[in-house]
Amino acid sequence: MKKILIAITAALVLIPCGGQSNKKAESKEHQPVASEQQPLANSVVYEMNVRQYTPEGTFAAAQKELPRLAEMGVDILWLMPIYPIGIEGRKMGPDDLGSYYAVRNYCDINPEFGTLEDFDNFVAEAHKLGLRVIIDWVANHTSPDAVWVTGQAPDWYERDAEGNTTYTADWSDTANLNYENKEVWKGMQGALRFWMERGIDGFRCDMACEVPLEFWQETIAGLRADYPHMYWLAEGEEPKLHSLSDFNASYAWELHHMMNAIARGEKNIPELLEYIQKDAERHPADAFRLMFTSNHDENSWAGTEFERMGDAVRAMAVLTFTLPNGQPLIYTGQEMGWNKRFEFFTKDPIPAWEKNEYFDFYKNLIAIRHKNPALAAGDQGGKFEVVSTEDSVLVFTRTLPDNKVTVKVELKAPWSYEIVTE
């Protein structure tokens, strides 16, 4: 037995991608990831905020950091939206950079980040290092001045009595698409295919439940026919995202909020075990549940993991790497212990990267994940069994016939944790 102690040391008929820039390069053959890449179920996702990743905020600058991420061991690199941002209604004023999620053109690159050639070079380098690359997809809405607003029929968008495009909540920099129009489906499918042809490996789908699940069902099936190894991540917690629409992974939002509550002393082992049971009952056995202590929304709007979880941060991170069905996520800056809320609509970069105790912490967790198939997501992982729950110390096992992992996490101060593999 080896002991590891982690301590505080079918083809679719598509219309072209309308209104794209003349800078569009010829489509490239899909570039498969390196053969040493981890299986999807064993993979760790890393969310890159390109704008804030380097002082330059470009693909070329971020590309220089890829070897560091590969050394840490991450497998799936999720890029926040990479597209040109609308000007009409832009958040924070005309001189600011605006929200990534107000997409002006699905088939082009935000000039803030560089060019399509820069993006292709970034993806090619990531693939050489064994990383998959997925991009954020915003299917629910565009910017009010998107190329589709003027380039397509008015009924591509939801409109009010005066014929104006509509938006949700306070997102006045967006315009809601009309999914009752099947031409919108075709346009969206064509745009998704545009990026697959450039060699990416899949998509993280923003607000996935805000468009018809039947759209995802048709779209994912059609693209998987040509790209069977695609990875699809849904921002949503509806079980039908898996059972109907065939997403690989979906957000474990409820768990995230529960971990915040545990860190505050408001919940503990009983509520966590109740969640695990109910979540397993609700979702298909093969569903990957994305687990995280931070992401771009939480960091900018709710606070850093240190603000929300305090000294419990590492114990909670251990849970995201070891709980049943989970697929762990690391957000920009977490591997350096970056304790700052990123500005969302303007430049606010990390000044420089360093390898420190947090890098070693996540590198160690990822290595344990990779070396132990019992920790895999979905039904490929090992059976979950609770060993003991004494005095806020949860001990559980994940077991396969040839691999067993025992996890001990103290869900109160001093928030100790231990992982034993055999």
Side-chain angles (χ1 to χ4, degrees):
M1 180 173 76
K2 180 180 179 183
K3 182 174 182 179
I4 303 174
L5 177 64
I6 307 176
I8 296 185
T9 67
L12 298 171
V13 179
L14 305 173
I15 65 174
C17 206
Q20 65 263 33
S21 164
N22 290 331
K23 293 185 293 182
K24 177 187 171 187
E26 288 185 18
S27 296
K28 299 184 178 182
E29 291 295 322
H30 181 68
Q31 305 168 23
V33 296
S35 59
E36 66 271 17
Q37 174 69 343
Q38 287 288 324
L40 285 174
N42 240 40
S43 295
V44 175
V45 183
Y46 183 93
E47 180 186 4
M48 178 181 282
N49 186 333
V50 178
R51 177 182 288 169
Q52 317 301 13
Y53 210 73
T54 62
E56 300 89 342
T58 63
F59 289 125
Q63 183 174 328
K64 297 176 183 178
E65 299 296 332
L66 291 176
R68 177 179 56 81
L69 292 176
E71 179 187 348
M72 189 168 69
V74 298
D75 307 293
I76 300 173
L77 189 58
W78 153 25
L79 303 180
M80 289 178 68
I82 60 176
Y83 323 100
I85 294 170
I87 296 173
E88 184 179 337
R90 179 176 286 192
K91 293 289 187 180
M92 301 293 288
D95 295 329
D96 287 283
L97 299 174
S99 171
Y100 315 92
Y101 293 87
V103 177
R104 196 172 189 182
N105 187 345
Y106 287 111
C107 296
D108 206 352
I109 290 291
N110 185 346
E112 173 190 347
F113 300 154
T115 65
L116 276 166
E117 182 178 5
D118 294 332
F119 175 78
D120 291 339
N121 292 337
F122 179 95
V123 174
E125 181 63 22
H127 283 169
K128 287 179 184 177
L129 294 169
L131 301 170
R132 293 180 172 90
V133 178
I134 66 171
I135 59 177
D136 216 320
W137 198 258
V138 189
N140 182 59
H141 52 252
T142 69
S143 69
D145 53 355
V147 295
W148 281 359
V149 173
T150 55
Q152 302 297 344
D155 64 352
W156 277 47
Y157 287 85
E158 296 179 0
R159 295 183 182 270
D160 61 22
E162 286 74 40
N164 301 308
T165 59
T166 64
Y167 57 87
T168 301
D170 64 344
W171 299 340
S172 55
D173 58 341
T174 68
N176 290 332
L177 286 159
N178 174 22
Y179 274 84
E180 292 184 6
N181 183 349
K182 286 299 185 75
E183 293 302 309
V184 173
W185 294 34
K186 294 178 183 179
M188 194 64 66
Q189 290 160 352
L192 288 158
R193 190 170 290 272
F194 171 88
W195 293 104
M196 288 306 301
E197 290 173 351
R198 298 203 80 84
I200 69 160
D201 302 284
F203 301 92
R204 177 268 184 188
C205 298
D206 186 63
M207 297 176 62
C209 293
E210 296 301 312
V211 301
L213 294 181
E214 292 79 8
F215 164 77
W216 295 120
Q217 180 183 38
E218 177 180 299
T219 300
I220 294 174
L223 282 166
R224 280 203 201 281
D226 293 326
Y227 305 101
H229 302 298
M230 290 182 74
Y231 171 82
W232 290 83
L233 166 61
E235 185 197 17
E237 205 157 16
E238 167 58 56
K240 287 184 180 179
L241 289 163
H242 299 280
S243 61
L244 175 66
S245 302
D246 199 29
F247 277 92
N248 298 92
S250 59
Y251 272 46
W253 275 120
E254 185 179 349
L255 173 66
H256 175 75
H257 296 308
M258 179 169 296
M259 289 191 297
N260 286 336
I262 291 172
R264 294 191 300 265
E266 299 168 0
K267 295 184 179 180
N268 208 274
I269 293 174
E271 293 87 354
L272 178 60
L273 294 182
E274 181 182 8
Y275 162 80
I276 292 170
Q277 179 180 346
K278 288 183 177 180
D279 196 69
E281 292 171 351
R282 291 178 66 230
H283 288 84
D286 62 353
F288 302 175
R289 306 290 285 119
L290 191 76
M291 298 181 179
F292 48 90
T293 57
S294 189
N295 61 36
H296 67 270
D297 284 315
E298 294 300 301
N299 171 274
S300 290
W301 309 119
T304 70
E305 63 270 31
F306 300 101
E307 290 180 76
R308 291 176 284 101
M309 297 179 172
D311 292 339
V313 162
R314 297 196 197 196
M316 298 303 151
V318 167
L319 291 179
T320 67
F321 274 77
T322 58
L323 285 177
N325 305 315
Q327 182 169 55
L329 169 74
I330 302 169
Y331 178 52
T332 292
Q334 287 194 280
E335 76 272 33
M336 198 173 75
W338 189 246
N339 189 14
K340 185 180 187 298
R341 300 188 189 197
F342 289 110
E343 293 293 333
F344 201 84
F345 304 117
T346 193
K347 197 83 175 73
D348 184 25
I350 290 177
W353 286 96
E354 64 180 58
K355 296 177 184 176
N356 57 22
E357 60 182 306
Y358 291 97
F359 181 89
D360 294 337
F361 170 73
Y362 283 107
K363 182 178 180 179
N364 194 16
L365 276 180
I366 294 170
I368 292 171
R369 177 92 180 186
H370 287 169
K371 293 175 182 176
N372 291 277
L375 296 177
D379 55 3
Q380 298 181 51
K383 182 181 179 181
F384 171 78
E385 290 186 299
V386 176
V387 176
S388 66
T389 60
E390 185 178 352
D391 193 27
S392 296
V393 178
L394 173 63
V395 182
F396 63 88
T397 56
R398 301 284 306 282
T399 307
L400 289 174
D402 57 354
N403 181 219
K404 181 178 180 179
V405 180
T406 303
V407 181
K408 179 181 179 181
V409 182
E410 190 171 9
L411 299 182
K412 66 176 184 178
W415 306 102
S416 63
Y417 41 86
E418 181 182 23
I419 299 177
V420 178
T421 68
E422 53 184 291

